Amino acid sequence: MRASLLLILALVTPLNAQTRHNTNAPIDFGANQIELQDRANRAVLSGNVSVRQADLNLTAARMTVAYTGQVVGGNPQVSRLDASGGVTVRRPDQTARASYAIYDLNRRVITMLGAVTLTQGPNTVNGGRLTLNLDTGRAVIDGSSVGSGGASAAGTRTRGGRVTGTFSVPNRN
């Protein structure tokens, strides 16, 4: 039991060792198409969507951008990004992949759902849901999932709501 606890701590510590993300940085985007829905305070981006905020990059097939009607400096204030279709979130030392992602800018939290894979260096964790707190850098993965039991991006399966993974072991020669 003690060896298992040490192994889990060895993975969790590097995943949490993040610098604080600047959620106030501007959001740059690119897409094949954008549809503005001003009455609904949203924009729908589709086709090779790419979003960058400071050192965070998010790519997906489609994304809905929700914004408030409040305008600051001539721009509406973005409050939420909903991404779907091969979602990838990259930070300087982590890459996460899933079917769906929600970036709540007010809470500074990214939630990823459906066949989640989180990779940091040689360490990989698979699950159904990832919650990433951008203030603390804390990443929590559990077995909950949309359509659980599906294949992950790495080709492994999350079974029965379980979290699986691979940890690297230092060379002891």
Side-chain angles (χ1 to χ4, degrees):
M1 178 69 176
R2 180 166 168 77
S4 297
L5 179 60
L6 291 175
L7 188 60
I8 290 169
L9 289 175
L11 177 70
V12 172
T13 301
L15 291 177
N16 292 338
Q18 295 284 325
T19 58
R20 187 176 194 162
H21 174 69
N22 181 5
T23 55
N24 293 320
I27 297 173
D28 298 317
F29 70 90
N32 292 350
Q33 181 176 337
I34 183 169
E35 176 187 337
L36 297 174
Q37 300 174 352
D38 280 337
R39 288 189 178 162
N41 287 337
R42 71 178 168 227
V44 178
L45 301 127
S46 58
N48 299 311
V49 179
S50 176
V51 170
R52 190 182 91 241
Q53 184 184 40
D55 62 358
L56 183 137
N57 293 294
L58 192 153
T59 59
R62 179 181 168 90
M63 185 177 303
T64 301
V65 179
Y67 53 88
T68 65
Q70 301 170 351
V71 177
V72 176
N75 296 314
Q77 298 300 296
V78 174
S79 59
R80 179 173 160 147
L81 304 174
D82 290 27
S84 62
V87 180
T88 300
V89 174
R90 285 191 175 83
R91 300 186 65 204
D93 62 346
Q94 291 178 334
T95 300
R97 291 182 171 78
S99 300
Y100 308 96
I102 301 162
Y103 178 7
D104 185 331
L105 279 86
N106 296 326
R107 291 181 45 226
R108 297 175 175 90
V109 171
I110 296 175
T111 304
M112 299 182 76
L113 302 165
V116 174
T117 299
L118 176 63
T119 305
Q120 182 176 359
N123 299 316
T124 301
V125 180
N126 305 298
R129 177 176 58 189
L130 162 68
T131 304
L132 178 61
N133 183 312
L134 296 173
D135 279 342
T136 65
R138 182 174 183 215
V140 177
I141 296 180
D142 63 39
S144 303
S145 182
V146 173
S148 62
S152 74
T156 59
R157 294 178 64 84
T158 57
R159 296 181 195 178
R162 295 181 53 84
V163 177
T164 62
T166 304
F167 303 117
S168 63
V169 178
N171 189 352
R172 294 187 175 94
N173 290 338

